[in-house]
């Protein structure tokens, strides 16, 4: 039971990482499943560790890494990734959450879509602000930080699943608090306009 619960924590972390970069977590999982015992993929997900899939993931990763660094192209990439990142999250969740997948594969897919889709939505919403405030010069920097965060989150989800899950909950809580603070109408400042 604890092992199954740990796999759910891992699945949430991997799916969230896919919301930042669709192909990096998939490639890391595929390579770790192929060369180590850290990831054990059951059928039909074991196809991820095949050489043809690894090659395709590597090519797609390079394309995304380049496209996401170029202003304007990165926005087009985000539109395309609106479908790809949640799908990647769904695959990662279903492939790594034994408990949920055994009970309901549909639930596993939905949870993966929600985790990756939420992160993708936040990323895609933030990127135009970066473009507007930096004239596009900040896009490669932010994209690189997102790629590093996706890779780190992937490894953390595999090696430290409970800590990763708790960190994700903390980040969600803090984001919710910031959103509430931002959305709460502020009372108008009472001030007296001096007359003539």
């Amino acid at each position: 039971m604890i092992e199954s619960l740990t796999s759910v924590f891992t699945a949430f972390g991997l799916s969230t990482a896919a919301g930042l970069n669709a192909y990096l977590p998939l490639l890391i999982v595929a390579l770790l499943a192929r060369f180590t015992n850290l990831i054990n993929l059951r059928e039909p997900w074991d196809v991820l560790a095949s050489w043809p899939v690894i090659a395709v993931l590597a090519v797609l990763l390079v394309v995304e890494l380049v496209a996401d660094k170029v202003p304007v192209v990165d926005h087009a990439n985000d539109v395309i990734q609106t479908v790809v990142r949640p799908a990647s999250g769904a695959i990662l969740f279903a492939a790594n959450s034994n408990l949920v997948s055994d009970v309901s594969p549909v639930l596993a897919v939905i949870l993966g879509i929600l985790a990756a889709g939420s992160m993708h939505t936040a990323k895609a919403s933030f990127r135009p602000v970066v473009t507007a405030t930096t004239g596009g010069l900040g896009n490669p920097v932010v994209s690189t930080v997102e790629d590093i965060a996706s890779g780190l989150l992937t490894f953390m989800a595999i090696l430290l699943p409970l800590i990763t899950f708790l960190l994700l909950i903390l980040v969600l809580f803090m984001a919710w608090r910031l959103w509430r603070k931002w959305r709460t109408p502020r009372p108008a400042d009472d001030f007296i306009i001096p007359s003539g």
Side-chain angles (χ1 to χ4, degrees), residues 22-187:
Y23 306 111
L24 185 59
L26 282 170
L27 183 59
I28 291 170
V29 165
L31 291 171
L32 289 176
R34 178 103 187 157
F35 294 111
T36 73
N37 291 327
L38 291 173
I39 296 282
N40 294 311
L41 299 172
R42 298 184 298 172
E43 289 186 3
W45 310 112
D46 58 341
V47 73
L48 284 173
S50 69
W51 283 118
V53 172
I54 289 171
V56 169
L57 288 173
V59 169
L60 290 172
L61 175 61
V62 170
V63 170
E64 184 173 3
L65 289 174
V66 172
D68 206 39
K69 308 289 184 286
V70 180
V72 180
V73 175
D74 65 338
H75 298 305
N77 183 51
D78 278 339
V79 171
I80 294 166
Q81 296 299 326
T82 299
V83 174
V84 176
R85 289 180 184 139
S88 173
I91 290 167
L92 287 163
F93 201 103
N96 289 285
S97 63
N98 298 335
L99 178 65
V100 177
S101 296
D102 288 344
V103 174
S104 171
V106 173
L107 177 60
V109 167
I110 290 170
L111 291 173
I113 288 171
L114 289 173
S118 299
M119 181 58 76
H120 168 71
T121 300
K123 169 189 164 100
S125 300
F126 179 67
R127 189 58 72 85
V129 175
V130 172
T131 302
T133 57
T134 67
L137 297 176
N139 291 27
V141 175
V142 171
S143 177
T144 302
V145 169
E146 291 166 350
D147 295 336
I148 292 168
S150 179
L152 288 175
L153 185 55
T154 299
F155 281 110
M156 280 184 61
I158 293 166
L159 300 173
L160 305 165
L162 178 59
I163 292 171
T164 303
F165 185 73
L166 294 174
L167 282 173
L168 289 174
I169 290 173
L170 178 64
V171 167
L172 283 174
F173 176 72
M174 291 172 62
W176 175 76
R177 295 267 321 250
L178 284 171
W179 180 81
R180 267 190 68 208
K181 184 177 180 178
W182 180 72
R183 297 291 292 165
T184 304
R186 295 184 192 115

